[in-house]
Amino acid sequence: MTETTNTEFTHYSVMLKESVEGLAIKSDGIYIDCTFGRGGHSREILGHLSSGNLMAIDQDPEAIEFAKQHFAESNFEIQYGSFEQLKEYCDSRGWTGKVDGVLIDLGVSSPQLDDASRGFSFMREGPLDMRMNPESGLSAKEWLAEVDEKTLAQVLRQYGEERFSGRIARNIKEAAQAGQLETTLDLAELVKKASPKTEKNKHPATRTFQAIRIAVNRELDVLKNVLEAAVQVLGSGGRLSIISFHSLEDRIVKQFIRDQSQMKDLFPDSPIQLEVVEPVLKKVGKPIFPSDEECRENPRSRSAVLRIAQKI
């Protein structure tokens, strides 16, 4: 997601041109940027519109404030909330079934990562928070205090693909119960000590932080819900452009596009064909990855993959 802002933090819009080109924008169309961040993709979309409209969504109050200060276009509006409510937002505007393009950038924005007070980074000391919306839900510290050791180990294994999930979970729970888990660096150091082996050029806490963040924000469930909603709000020929940043997200996106692109027999065990659901999406091109130049300019983009689909 990087453009310079008037704050000390910088934001990079990953695969900016490619993701917006994937929307095949019509100047009079209706478009939705589900993850406003600091508005890089929104700004690019607006540059292609004349009489068309753009709604951007974000659940981070800082992103909403940034939009209000920097986006004054009459055909732009910012919606505070989770993109999980995409269909609800479109229903209220009479847009359901009429949207020409939906863009979803699933990455945590650079300002969120770089702001120690948000608690996303294992490199900077800050409170154990990790919430995309710091005004809603349990913080990472609160969640770690509540979750049982078995569930925590499952989360670390499933969402972080952490080999030492059991050992790390046990140490986390012991530290939490002893009141020794207050900051991001407390957690990072604990994971480092609990990891008997480390990967070259990769901090041992990387997987644990990813897993906890996904759990705290329900990221994979929210992704599944927004994909379903996007299909409902898109009109015929509308485009869906999705940027994922790790294999769990990309697997869900890839599987969803594939499933929605195939004809389905609702009663496969019946000797006669009772009801068939026609495909509603078609894949557009192959997966797109950041260029070498972009990866050098913004190393955080290295794991990104862009997939594009069109509603039939």
Side-chain angles (χ1 to χ4, degrees):
M1 284 167 118
T2 297
E3 77 201 42
T4 304
T5 74
N6 64 343
T7 71
E8 62 184 302
F9 306 114
T10 300
H11 178 69
Y12 192 97
S13 297
V14 172
M15 287 191 279
L16 177 62
K17 300 291 185 184
E18 298 91 333
S19 59
V20 174
E21 284 176 0
L23 295 176
I25 291 178
K26 299 184 292 186
S27 63
D28 61 348
I30 298 173
Y31 294 89
I32 300 172
D33 180 357
C34 284
T35 43
F36 176 78
R38 290 300 183 272
H41 290 111
S42 285
R43 181 64 69 197
E44 185 72 14
I45 292 170
L46 284 169
H48 291 75
L49 298 180
S50 55
S51 58
N53 290 282
L54 171 65
M55 174 177 68
I57 304 169
D58 210 294
Q59 60 182 333
D60 186 336
E62 292 181 6
I64 299 298
E65 188 58 34
F66 184 90
K68 290 177 178 178
Q69 292 179 8
H70 295 82
F71 284 69
E73 290 85 347
S74 60
N75 61 342
F76 171 83
E77 61 176 314
I78 185 73
Q79 171 68 56
Y80 177 42
S82 169
F83 60 49
E84 191 173 17
Q85 274 75 57
L86 173 61
K87 185 172 183 298
E88 176 186 320
Y89 301 147
C90 288
D91 284 346
S92 68
R93 292 164 174 82
W95 286 4
T96 300
K98 301 176 183 178
V99 174
D100 295 292
V102 175
L103 189 149
I104 308 172
D105 178 355
L106 296 167
V108 180
S109 71
S110 294
Q112 289 173 327
L113 287 170
D114 294 336
D115 184 352
S117 69
R118 300 301 299 273
F120 287 106
S121 176
F122 46 76
M123 302 297 289
R124 297 173 174 84
E125 184 159 30
L128 265 179
D129 196 317
M130 300 194 197
R131 289 172 294 176
M132 300 291 189
N133 182 351
E135 298 177 353
S136 176
L138 296 176
S139 68
K141 178 184 174 182
E142 292 166 335
W143 183 80
L144 288 170
E146 287 192 6
V147 70
D148 62 84
E149 183 181 320
K150 181 179 179 182
T151 301
L152 177 55
Q154 290 174 337
V155 164
L156 299 182
R157 186 164 53 251
Q158 182 179 350
Y159 294 166
E161 299 175 300
E162 173 55 67
R163 289 181 296 165
F164 310 114
S165 57
R167 181 171 179 160
I168 292 171
R170 183 167 58 253
N171 287 15
I172 286 176
K173 289 306 297 182
E174 288 175 356
Q177 289 164 5
Q180 299 171 346
L181 200 57
E182 296 292 332
T183 71
T184 49
L185 293 189
D186 288 341
L187 178 59
E189 187 61 27
L190 182 153
V191 175
K192 185 177 180 180
K193 289 179 179 178
S195 304
K197 295 181 181 179
T198 59
E199 298 176 55
K200 187 178 180 181
N201 300 323
K202 192 167 190 175
H203 193 288
T206 302
R207 297 179 186 277
T208 294
F209 269 67
Q210 173 182 297
I212 294 172
R213 192 201 77 219
I214 290 173
V216 165
N217 294 287
R218 300 177 43 251
E219 290 179 31
L220 301 186
D221 288 336
V222 169
L223 172 57
K224 293 172 185 176
N225 291 339
V226 75
L227 291 173
E228 294 283 354
V231 169
Q232 295 178 64
V233 304
L234 284 170
S236 178
R239 292 285 188 97
L240 179 58
S241 186
I242 312 161
I243 304 171
S244 306
F245 285 82
H246 56 74
S247 60
L248 296 174
E249 290 175 339
D250 186 52
R251 198 174 304 143
I252 290 171
V253 173
K254 180 181 179 180
Q255 184 68 49
F256 179 82
I257 293 174
R258 184 168 60 200
D259 288 349
Q260 296 294 320
S261 301
Q262 297 173 344
M263 188 176 291
K264 298 189 193 71
D265 184 351
L266 295 184
F267 301 94
D269 297 327
S270 173
I272 59 173
Q273 194 174 77
L274 297 176
E275 188 174 356
V276 171
V277 175
E278 297 289 337
V280 294
L281 287 180
K282 66 176 181 180
K283 181 174 65 172
V284 177
K286 295 181 178 180
I288 300 171
F289 302 92
S291 66
D292 291 340
E293 181 182 354
E294 178 169 351
C295 290
R296 284 193 298 271
E297 188 176 330
N298 175 35
R300 287 172 178 164
S301 70
R302 286 176 299 189
S303 61
V305 55
L306 168 65
R307 295 185 187 271
I308 302 164
Q310 183 171 25
K311 188 169 181 180
I312 299 172

